[in-house]
Amino acid sequence: MSTLVFLEHHEGELQKDSLGVLAKAAQLGGDVSALIAGSGVEGLAAQAGRFGAAKVYVADDPALEAPLPQPRVDVAADLVRRHGFETVLFGATVLTADVAAGLAARLDAGLNWDLVDLAQEDGKLVGKRPALDDTVYVDVGWKGEPRLALIRTGTFEPVESPAEPEVERVDVQLEDFSTLAKMIEQAHEESEGPSIEDADVIVAGGRGLGGPDNFALVEELAKALGGAVAATRAVVDAGWYPYSTQVGQTGKTVAPRLYIAVGISGAIQHKVGMQGSNVIVAINKDPNAPIFEYADLGVVGDLHEIIPKLTELVRQRKAA
Amino acid sequence: MKIAVCAKAVPEQARRIDPETKRLDRSGEQTLNPFDANAVEEGLRLKGDAADAEVVLFSLGPERSLDALRKALAMGADRVVLVTDEAAAGSDLVASSYALARVLEREQAELVLFGQQANDSDGAVMWAAVADRLRRPLISQVAELTVSDGAVRGKRQTEFGYDVIEAPLPAVVAVSDAINEPRYPSLKGIMGAKKKPQETVSLSDLGVEGERAGESGSRTEVYALGEPPPRGETQRVEDDGSGAEKIVEFLLERKAL
Amino acid sequence: MKPSDFPPPFDVSEAVARPTDPEDERIEVGVAIVGAGPAGLACAIRLGQLLEEAPAIAERLGDVPVAVIEKGKQPGSHLLSGAVVNPRALQRLFAGRKRLDELPFYGVVEQESVYFLTRNRAARIPTPPTMKNHGNRVASLSELGRWLAAQAEEAGAMILPETAATKLLVEHGRVRGIRTGDKGRGRDGEELPNFEPGSDVLARVTVLAEGTQGHLTGAAIETFGLAGENPQVWALGVKEVWRVARPLRRVIHTMGWPLRAGAKYREFGGSFIYPMGDELLTLGMVVGLDYRDVELSVHDLLQELKTHPLVRKLLDGGERIAWGAKTIPEGGFLSLPKRLHAPGLLLAGDGPGFVNVPALKGIHYAIETGALAAEAAFAVLQRGEAVGRRGALASYDEAVKQSFVWRDLEQVRNMRQAFGRGFWLGGALAGAMTASHGKFPPGDARTEPDAEQELIRTGRARRYPAPDGKLTFDKLSSVFLSGNKTRDDAPNHLRVQTRVAPELAELWARMCPAQVYEPQDGRVEVTASNCVQCGAITAKGGRLTPPEGGSGPEYTLT
Ligand SMILES: Cc1cc2nc3c(=O)[nH]c(=O)nc-3n(C[C@H](O)[C@H](O)[C@H](O)COP(=O)(O)OP(=O)(O)OC[C@H]3O[C@@H](n4cnc5c(N)ncnc54)[C@H](O)[C@@H]3O)c2cc1C
Ligand SMILES: Cc1cc2nc3c(=O)[nH]c(=O)nc-3n(C[C@H](O)[C@H](O)[C@H](O)COP(=O)(O)OP(=O)(O)OC[C@H]3O[C@@H](n4cnc5c(N)ncnc54)[C@H](O)[C@@H]3O)c2cc1C
Ligand SMILES: Cc1cc2nc3c(=O)[nH]c(=O)nc-3n(C[C@H](O)[C@H](O)[C@H](O)COP(=O)(O)OP(=O)(O)OC[C@H]3O[C@@H](n4cnc5c(N)ncnc54)[C@H](O)[C@@H]3O)c2cc1C
Ligand code: SF4
């Protein structure tokens, strides 16, 4: 099997999710190559080698400076056509989703999205994915090649396997329509922390906090963890926290790697907004709170005791 | 200006995948994909009072979709073109984007708008495939949109912050749900919706070959359906003063710290 | 302390207005029907049939001869019933057009049992005559409503879902139509960016078919002085639909446990368990809202009922797939308005109270009165008579009085006991008395409004089972199953005083099946977006007003 992994980068760093997908590709076996497209990105090739790419194609061109999808579709399509990759994998982001779908159209190739695993079964590549708000799990496949896949954010961890990759520069030839969209302003983070949809870690506060002032407790913990703060409808209704942070049926749906629920009963309307989280930790003084039915770790106790201590411990670990 | 809005009817509730066909069960009540209401709203806003502007809805789906799509007409869209064909059932991205591109080519809209995602399949990718097939520039995830001097300018949010992207018309733009608050249809609008033009076209009307549509035109397939893996047992601890330590231990064990 | 000590901050004048939209913005229709329930839809279908044969009249009525205004997201979204349906009125409505087996029924009732329950036992008692259902059909009213709506559309009616009628338009002593509710207001009533004002809908004839607790019906009864001899009283029904492992093949009614026999409690009601084909069944608990215990919760009583061996066995291995709640008018014949019409206005269905209480039946009366209302409206339009003339629509009252509806209700009127006690105790008086050795029925007949009952506290809540998420459920997960996804910042449509006696705060908190009320430091916190619009609050000291169209539950199977 020959696999091409599209590597996304930002400010001179390859993105962790892309590297995680690379590690998965290496684990699946066969020839694993990577594609880095950008301007002044040659230096990133070595990084890719360290995470499992035997070969790295580098498309380095000023026209690829801005993170826009269409020129990247041209580059990837060209590469796939020339080398006949059987599989092309993407770690899902705003940019790569557009690249993958554009490529699917260009090559009339099947694209499966939202995969949380890939496996060889009876000689076939099978994608595993949750669907319909994670209520069902589906095994999906491809008719013919190349097989394109978008892997859900945060699914695979990068694995270091030091190697010198073979690096090949590829020619960049772009379609006329691909360069029509122009980046006018590429801004960086405007807010202080990640928004709850993008956050890797969410600390959510509920009515158990007792009052708006106590949100400082969850804010401190979120800061220590580098995460964002979310809230339940009960506290948003009470005016303790803004609606933009509400998670649940009538708020946002989130699926961070870690969700810490503080003083939240865990009503189903809240659950449907966060059950896709990878690890759920709940702190609640009521041993019968519904949140304990779906948390991975449930601590029965007073949040006022536990949270400050936890924040301190996390700070210490991060400092160390 | 002609503004095309691609929109889809999705199941109202009780969403399930039919274990036989392995397709989404579309037998229940259908509704306009809520994210498409943002695209319709944006189209109507751009159209404004311009008498020569038109907002046209394009959809690929079963005939019954019309009932749901009428909501967009009630909001103020001018007409609907529905591509409907038995042979299109089970279309994946490759097949759907092909049929959509063909019907859009027929109409030559200056601006093609999409919603943020279809809330049944959650791909959030259709626009990129359609833009490629139409060979037009694309801006996706747009939270602010302006059109002037034959160009669109969109502000969008990515994982890294806000970008501003500009493209000449004709162009494809996918809006995010942050872009606006869709209007409620007025009662007059609802009552008038039924009388607005609602055209259905078949694949052969568009010259879409059978092998490019439905399951034969699709390049993905579903092998098996299953239950989500159990979350695993909840590990439960009573806080005896060491609750915080226990959490840290757990997080380290799960590599979540 | 009684709920009526804290009357709701609501005045009926709020629900009555003159047309205010400028002439050219008014929406003109022929007949405006409020409510897409069995009454309203039967009215629309019958009008369609009559107009089909009289195209000249249809022409005169304009672009929209018949409009049905429905607040639910879809027709059927706000319909909930048992339901065992007597097909009589449907047969008449569809005579020569549809056969009964073309209607969405789950089957014919062939067997039935009535039980008197104690905590662990079930004593079978003979089926009292009013509870006999042989030959009737089982249906989900929500499904039947969707089907009827499709028929009404086919017959030419325009159905306008997601639209609440919030005001009755009255001018010069006659009803001119209705005003629909605004959309896009914030929690404090402020206009949001997508605010869309309501419209005046003017009609030659307005038919109110709002069902139980009709908001405009109440306003009309007051405005036109139509109130009957007795005040209206209600019962609250909470029901669930289950997918079951083994088919149930009979209709079951129970009485007794978990309700208590003591006269002071005034706990009148019982349960129904109906098969819905081989795979589904529905079960519900109905309790008269003249109960007194502040801790009584019909939702929790239904949960308790399911722990009874008789019921648990039926549900074993099954899964709950739907839930909902609604009130039933129980005043019967003596609570009917003294007239069913006013100038330009007709009342049909549950709104005026056409329910046969000892038989727990209202659907066929709703359909029949709806169809008769259509005929009366058509007759006036055909004669080209001034609809607003006093008595122009009186032929409706005559027709209802000639119909089986009147005969049925009048017949049971003399069972005064029956009216006092509702379906179970009224209908099954004899059986209950035998089985309970005379403890049932407790108390006297009901002639006082539900909100006039003195409240008591007896520690009832201790017995409610803790929700286990499999057999027994809490209110919030139930509301979720109702499909309610009302936006959080919708304005509050519930009129209650928020500083009330603690007993009343607790009564509301327990009574409300949707967990809307929460006592908090001497106040009542109201989370209006949870509301499933069952109407119980109107019976017990508050007032449910029509919320923003399209909000509330989205029932499909109830
Ligand atoms: C149509 C609809 C839509 C809804 N949408 C949403 C939504 O989008 N998001 C949402 O969150 N909810 C939503 N809800 C509301 C939801 O049902 C719950 O009411 C809400 O989530 C409860 O919030 P909570 O957990 O903060 O409060 P509560 O349920 O009051 O829970 C507070 C918890 O804190 C615990 N606690 C108290 N003190 C302490 C302490 N000192 N230490 C530790 N624990 C303590 C208590 O034991 C309790 O479990 C919706 C409801 C409906 C009907
Ligand atoms: C649970 C589920 C999972 C699926 N997974 C895949 C998969 O991994 N790969 C695959 O190829 N197919 C998949 N499909 C099939 C997919 O539904 C079709 O490709 C569909 O036509 C497009 O859905 P989308 O998710 O790409 O739409 P999105 O990309 O989420 O839709 C974005 C916007 O495109 C527009 N749009 C989408 N569909 C239409 C349409 N039919 N008509 C008009 N406008 C439209 C709307 O404006 C919408 O807001 C899946 C379907 C289901 C039900
Ligand atoms: C638990 C329970 C069990 C029952 N069991 C049976 C049974 O087995 N057999 C039987 O025959 N009967 C039964 N009934 C009674 C039966 O359901 C009613 O008699 C019947 O539904 C009445 O029909 P209707 O059309 O008058 O009102 P509804 O069915 O209540 O319909 C009224 C409609 O009007 C709409 N509406 C109301 N106000 C407005 C407004 N202002 N603006 C817009 N729309 C509005 C509502 O949303 C609703 O859709 C039962 C009732 C309950 C609650
Ligand atoms: S608030 Fe709504 S659901 Fe609760 S009792 Fe009142 S009407 Fe019923």
Side-chain angles (χ1 to χ4, degrees), chain A residues 48-316:
Chain A
R50 272 196 284 124
F51 288 91
K55 178 146 191 187
V56 181
Y57 294 94
V58 178
D60 203 326
D61 193 293
L64 297 172
E65 159 99 54
L68 292 170
Q70 289 171 306
R72 285 167 172 71
V73 173
D74 297 340
V75 171
D78 202 38
L79 203 60
V80 173
R81 283 200 186 109
R82 273 193 292 122
H83 298 279
F85 289 105
E86 291 160 314
T87 305
V88 187
L89 303 178
F90 300 81
T93 67
V94 168
L95 175 66
T96 58
D98 286 358
V99 178
L103 191 61
R106 186 78 60 88
L107 303 175
D108 276 320
L111 169 65
N112 279 304
W113 52 79
D114 225 7
L115 301 191
V116 294
D117 205 3
L118 276 165
Q120 290 282 1
E121 287 173 11
D122 307 325
K124 261 196 317 205
L125 188 66
V126 176
K128 313 269 174 180
R129 59 165 296 185
L132 304 180
D133 290 333
D134 297 0
T135 52
V136 288
Y137 262 58
V138 189
D139 282 0
V140 294
W142 293 261
K143 299 189 214 167
E145 290 155 4
R147 304 176 279 245
L148 314 187
L150 279 159
I151 314 293
R152 196 185 259 203
T153 317
T155 298
F156 300 120
E157 284 290 317
V159 180
E160 276 201 69
S161 53
E164 261 314 302
E166 187 189 328
V167 180
E168 185 180 322
R169 267 192 84 117
V170 296
D171 247 9
V172 177
Q173 295 213 353
L174 304 179
E175 299 277 351
D176 52 356
F177 71 92
S178 294
T179 53
L180 292 176
K182 297 261 190 305
M183 184 71 75
I184 303 295
E185 206 182 307
Q186 191 182 336
H188 299 283
E189 207 53 67
E190 284 181 0
S191 59
E192 299 142 33
S195 73
I196 64 169
E197 283 121 316
D198 299 330
D200 231 18
V201 175
I202 290 178
V203 185
R207 196 145 54 163
L209 285 171
D213 299 342
N214 290 332
F215 254 91
L217 291 174
V218 274
E219 282 167 350
E220 289 293 308
L221 177 57
K223 209 157 117 198
L225 288 162
V229 175
T232 64
R233 189 186 73 172
V235 302
V236 171
D237 268 0
W240 298 359
Y241 228 64
Y243 174 67
S244 59
T245 63
Q246 180 175 319
V247 165
Q249 188 189 12
T250 42
K252 299 210 161 87
T253 302
V254 297
R257 244 147 41 91
L258 172 61
Y259 191 96
I260 304 186
V262 182
I264 292 178
S265 59
I268 179 130
Q269 290 89 352
H270 187 73
K271 178 183 173 186
V272 294
M274 45 68 82
Q275 63 192 350
S277 307
N278 211 353
V279 175
I280 299 172
V281 174
I283 296 123
N284 194 306
K285 69 174 183 194
D286 173 7
N288 296 321
I291 188 104
F292 289 134
E293 281 157 34
Y294 53 95
D296 298 292
L297 175 69
V299 182
V300 184
D302 185 354
L303 66 92
H304 297 282
E305 298 286 322
I306 299 168
I307 300 304
K309 268 196 237 161
L310 180 58
T311 307
E312 197 42 49
L313 287 173
V314 171
R315 278 200 192 118
Q316 284 168 15

Side-chain angles (χ1 to χ4, degrees), chain A residues 207 233 236-239 243 246 249-251 265 267-269 272 290 293, chain C residues 187 468 474 476-477 479-480 483-488 518 520 527 529-530:
Chain A
R207 196 145 54 163
R233 189 186 73 172
V236 171
D237 268 0
Y243 174 67
Q246 180 175 319
Q249 188 189 12
T250 42
S265 59
I268 179 130
Q269 290 89 352
V272 294
E293 281 157 34
Chain C
R187 183 162 306 169
D468 64 9
D474 64 6
L476 285 176
S477 53
V479 174
F480 185 72
N484 181 4
K485 36 184 177 296
T486 306
R487 70 184 161 92
D488 302 321
E518 200 179 338
Q520 226 170 47
T527 311
S529 51
N530 287 18

Side-chain angles (χ1 to χ4, degrees), chain C residues 493-494 511-514 516-517 530-537 544:
Chain C
H493 61 290
L494 298 158
M511 170 188 74
C512 173
V516 166
Y517 307 95
N530 287 18
C531 175
V532 294
Q533 304 176 23
C534 73
I537 192 68
L544 165 70

